[in-house]
Amino acid sequence: MKKLIYSCLFLGFVQHYSVAQTNTWDLQQCIDHAQKNNIALKQAELSTQINKNNATQSKAAILPTVNAGAQHTYNFGRTIDRYTNTFANTQVLSQNFYVSSNVVLWSGLAQYNNIKANQYQYLSSTESYLQQKNDLSLNVATAYINVIFSDEISQVAKAQYKITQEQLERTQKLADAGTLAKSAVYDLKAQLANEEVNVTNADNNYQIAVLSLKQLLNLDTLNNFSISKPVVDISADNLATLSVQNIYETALKNQHSIKSAEYNLLSAEKNLAVARGRISPTLSATGSLGTGTSALDKNIDAVNYLGPEQTQYYGTDDPNNPTVILPIYQPKVEVVTSKKPFADQFKDNVNKSVGFTLSVPIFNGLQTYTGVKNAKLNALNAKYSQDLTEQNLYKTIAQAYANARAAFNKYKANKLSVEASEQSFYYAQQKYNVGAISTFDFNNSKTLLQNSQSNLVQAKYDYVFKLKVLDYYQGKPLTF
């Protein structure tokens, strides 16, 4: 009967998760909630959006620029009016309106390559975001498994506490009847106190594991929360069809970190092309349309004739040439003006311009030369980063595979240890009840059983986690 109890204790473990008055979450629900609410993931999404905006802006950069402006100016003192070309000594109000445009016709394909570089950078950041999203899923799965593991360890501790408590009650009766010494009662009381501490520590570890999971999910830590406990099958068949090379080849195709490194390399190569394009001459076209008004601009409404005005023209005083005095008649007129309307000035003062600018880089403090050299180094560094990412991926997969095999072997060994410990404790309990062994030997046998059960639980979920890591690199859903 006792053997059956201990077997059920290990295989089933009383579930800690009460569905009453709480929401029960499975692993997929936890992952979905974390991906929607995790703050770090939201920040990564914002970075991706910024790179998308940069890619869009680089495409718009090849379009002509168009700018408009206006000026409202008061001039004081002597100045030349730009529209009447006359001197003014008083305050003059002038207004200027313009529209200008500029477009680069040729720049050594620097603009085109810049578009491609920003596109690849955006794609790289997108893959990085997806990689972080998958990493978050793995972290949630790890925390989820840790909650289940902590709960089962807590149940082992509680079950051992209950066994000791029952044995104490039985020993107390035997001691009262004079069959066992009173010292056996005190030994069990001490053991019960120690196991109560174990129960408290195990429950505390469980609460911390739940808190860690809730923090990943960005949940209110004060809300009721529980997870569903999946049925976990432990089998060597999980590893039988797998190999490190096959997992690695699959991961190269589906791991976003690899794709991100590839796009980052392509972006660096395009940035090198941009730097080289700056060596080429740049041809630009410009155009402008403007007009304006001036307070000095007048309309001539009438010219009134006021009569002739006689003036004298005096010749030279040379004795050889007598002075000649000739009357000159200069008519006297009066010009009647009025302020020229704004609309007329706006129409009459329109000016247009079209031009082309050719810029040939000859020497600019080695900026272009240095830019090309640095772009080459950045491209080489991106290539090294890609190679390093692939190497680290293979190393991680190889370690995960080896850890999974070791965890399974450890699980098998601990399973045999539990079976043996159960048998040993069963007979130790029978002997203790008839006084054939001491309380120390009984407690030692029970401690060995508890340790072996705890080790088995740890090995079990360590193996489950290692399998989930391998599933992750194969692109499989992280579900049970």
Side-chain angles (χ1 to χ4, degrees), residues 6 63 71 86 124 190 234 253 257 266 302-304 350 361 380 427:
Y6 300 139
L63 301 175
Q71 292 179 331
T86 59
S124 177
I234 303 298
K253 299 176 183 178
S257 60
L266 292 173
V303 178
N304 298 326
V350 171
L380 183 60
Y427 289 113

Side-chain angles (χ1 to χ4, degrees), residues 143 146-147 150 203-223 225 227:
N146 191 42
V147 171
S150 300
D203 185 67
N204 184 60
N205 291 336
Y206 167 76
Q207 297 299 332
I208 292 176
V210 172
L211 179 61
S212 298
L213 177 59
K214 293 172 73 173
Q215 288 175 339
L216 278 176
L217 271 57
N218 198 26
L219 281 176
D220 184 357
T221 56
L222 299 179
N223 291 339
F225 174 77
I227 64 174

Side-chain angles (χ1 to χ4, degrees), residues 58 62 107-117 119 270 274:
S58 63
I62 65 174
S107 61
L109 298 179
Q111 289 178 305
Y112 169 78
N113 289 318
N114 188 53
I115 291 174
K116 301 300 293 183
Q119 284 179 331
K270 288 301 178 181
V274 171

Side-chain angles (χ1 to χ4, degrees), residues 278-290:
R278 294 193 177 100
I279 302 175
S280 170
T282 301
L283 178 63
S284 301
T286 59
S288 66
L289 175 65

Side-chain angles (χ1 to χ4, degrees), residues 215-388:
Q215 288 175 339
L216 278 176
L217 271 57
N218 198 26
L219 281 176
D220 184 357
T221 56
L222 299 179
N223 291 339
N224 291 330
F225 174 77
S226 67
I227 64 174
S228 60
K229 183 177 178 180
V231 178
V232 179
D233 294 327
I234 303 298
S235 173
D237 295 337
N238 301 107
L239 292 174
T241 59
L242 299 178
S243 69
V244 174
Q245 187 61 34
N246 290 338
I247 297 174
Y248 174 68
E249 292 176 356
T250 302
L252 285 177
K253 299 176 183 178
N254 60 47
Q255 284 298 299
H256 297 289
S257 60
I258 300 298
K259 296 178 182 179
S260 176
E262 292 174 353
Y263 284 128
N264 192 50
L265 174 59
L266 292 173
S267 177
E269 291 174 346
K270 288 301 178 181
N271 281 325
L272 174 58
V274 171
R276 287 172 172 166
R278 294 193 177 100
I279 302 175
S280 170
T282 301
L283 178 63
S284 301
T286 59
S288 66
L289 175 65
T291 186
T293 65
S294 172
L296 294 180
D297 200 356
K298 307 287 185 178
N299 280 330
I300 300 177
D301 297 330
V303 178
N304 298 326
Y305 179 70
L306 301 180
E309 180 178 352
Q310 181 176 338
T311 62
Q312 297 291 329
Y313 174 76
Y314 295 91
T316 64
D317 290 333
D318 187 351
N320 298 322
N321 294 309
T323 300
V324 179
I325 301 176
L326 295 176
I328 298 176
Y329 297 91
Q330 183 174 356
K332 186 177 182 181
V333 297
E334 178 185 39
V335 179
V336 180
T337 63
S338 63
K339 182 179 179 181
K340 193 172 185 178
F342 176 88
D344 291 345
Q345 292 192 58
F346 193 89
K347 179 182 65 175
D348 296 341
N349 293 335
V350 171
N351 58 86
K352 306 173 185 177
S353 66
V354 176
F356 296 90
T357 302
L358 180 65
S359 176
V360 181
I362 298 176
F363 182 77
N364 53 9
L366 297 180
Q367 291 183 4
T368 304
Y369 173 75
T370 303
V372 172
K373 289 185 64 177
N374 288 340
K376 287 181 180 179
L377 295 176
N378 289 333
L380 183 60
N381 186 52
K383 175 60 178 174
Y384 288 152
S385 296
Q386 181 188 23
D387 294 340
L388 185 61

